[in-house]
Amino acid sequence: MKLLTLFTAVLISVSMAGCANRGQNVIVNADQRLNHDFSNYKSFTWASQVDNQLDPGFYFLNDLVLKERIRNAVAFSLEGRGYNKVQQNADLIVNFRVFDKPTTIQGFTGYGSGYWGDLQVRNPENSKEFQVEAGTLIINLLDKNTGEVVWQGFASGLMDGNVFDKREDKIKQAVNLIFEKYPYRGDKLGS
């Protein structure tokens, strides 16, 4: 009987969590550099803007606690995928931004004119500006050697009324949803 009660409690909790996620209207998407080999990436470090300082561009809502919560959630997701956090000589540089107002970001449409040929590349004419909602968290992974963004994911709609939802559980949930779109690992597991 206790097992049935425990199972029912877990089922109710999972159902409520699913409803809460749908109620927030979070939109998640990701994009990556085409024909790029992610198997050589084993480690990551933070971009200088993601350190423990206040950002003069106000990309983190001038909130060091928020920056720390996002850093912790991103590190947890990447380490859970077999990547090692290192101080120097990392393969990937991680950067993120938070926007509490609607904004425009640069992205791509389709796969470019070479999609059906051997060169699956995106050309400059395939770039497009996208409007994102208030309450957007964008995570970029950059190749350390080239400085190019190789993967970008975002969650949009992280608002609590008219302000960015800074609660730790919501940040963890948003980062987790973003990294569900990242299919790579830094180790041999899952390969």
Side-chain angles (χ1 to χ4, degrees), residues 18-72:
C19 292
N21 188 26
R22 284 192 294 272
Q24 194 175 13
N25 295 324
V26 175
I27 298 167
V28 179
N29 209 340
D31 193 20
Q32 71 182 43
R33 185 171 176 192
L34 297 177
N35 288 338
H36 191 72
D37 183 7
F38 283 77
S39 66
N40 293 324
Y41 299 131
K42 308 293 180 213
S43 60
F44 71 96
T45 193
W46 304 116
S48 60
Q49 300 93 323
V50 183
D51 61 13
N52 290 319
Q53 304 296 315
L54 288 177
D55 184 49
F58 301 106
Y59 290 115
F60 306 103
L61 309 183
N62 218 19
D63 188 330
L64 291 177
V65 173
L66 176 62
K67 283 175 84 170
E68 181 181 11
R69 287 178 179 167
I70 297 170
R71 265 195 321 268
N72 290 342

Side-chain angles (χ1 to χ4, degrees), residues 1-10:
M1 188 63 167
K2 286 184 181 182
L3 184 58
L4 182 59
T5 304
L6 179 62
F7 176 74
T8 304
V10 170

Side-chain angles (χ1 to χ4, degrees), residues 15-16 70 78 85 90 98 100 110 113 135 191:
S15 297
M16 290 174 66
I70 297 170
L78 286 171
K85 184 183 172 304
V98 172
D100 63 339
S113 57
S191 301

Side-chain angles (χ1 to χ4, degrees), residues 2-178:
K2 286 184 181 182
L3 184 58
L4 182 59
T5 304
L6 179 62
F7 176 74
T8 304
V10 170
L11 185 60
I12 290 170
S13 296
V14 170
S15 297
M16 290 174 66
C19 292
N21 188 26
R22 284 192 294 272
Q24 194 175 13
N25 295 324
V26 175
I27 298 167
V28 179
N29 209 340
D31 193 20
Q32 71 182 43
R33 185 171 176 192
L34 297 177
N35 288 338
H36 191 72
D37 183 7
F38 283 77
S39 66
N40 293 324
Y41 299 131
K42 308 293 180 213
S43 60
F44 71 96
T45 193
W46 304 116
S48 60
Q49 300 93 323
V50 183
D51 61 13
N52 290 319
Q53 304 296 315
L54 288 177
D55 184 49
F58 301 106
Y59 290 115
F60 306 103
L61 309 183
N62 218 19
D63 188 330
L64 291 177
V65 173
L66 176 62
K67 283 175 84 170
E68 181 181 11
R69 287 178 179 167
I70 297 170
R71 265 195 321 268
N72 290 342
V74 170
F76 182 82
S77 288
L78 286 171
E79 289 169 348
R81 285 164 177 74
Y83 292 91
N84 296 313
K85 184 183 172 304
V86 297
Q87 295 297 322
Q88 297 179 348
N89 300 319
D91 303 318
L92 292 169
I93 299 172
V94 180
N95 199 1
F96 55 83
R97 294 283 190 252
V98 172
F99 299 97
D100 63 339
K101 295 179 177 37
T103 192
T104 303
I105 61 172
Q106 188 72 30
F108 291 94
T109 60
Y111 289 96
S113 57
Y115 178 66
W116 299 109
D118 291 336
L119 300 173
Q120 294 181 6
V121 297
R122 290 183 172 139
N123 300 313
E125 64 267 14
N126 301 113
S127 67
K128 180 180 179 184
E129 290 184 343
F130 291 94
Q131 298 294 326
V132 292
E133 299 294 320
T136 296
L137 167 62
I138 298 173
I139 301 171
N140 291 312
L141 302 182
L142 294 83
D143 183 293
K144 178 197 161 248
N145 295 322
T146 66
E148 296 176 338
V149 174
V150 293
W151 186 86
Q152 174 178 279
F154 73 88
S156 188
L158 303 170
M159 298 296 284
D160 184 9
N162 291 328
V163 297
F164 190 91
D165 194 340
K166 300 177 186 179
R167 291 178 295 169
E168 188 171 18
D169 63 325
K170 293 299 178 182
I171 297 299
K172 287 179 181 178
Q173 181 184 39
V175 170
N176 184 49
L177 289 170
I178 291 169

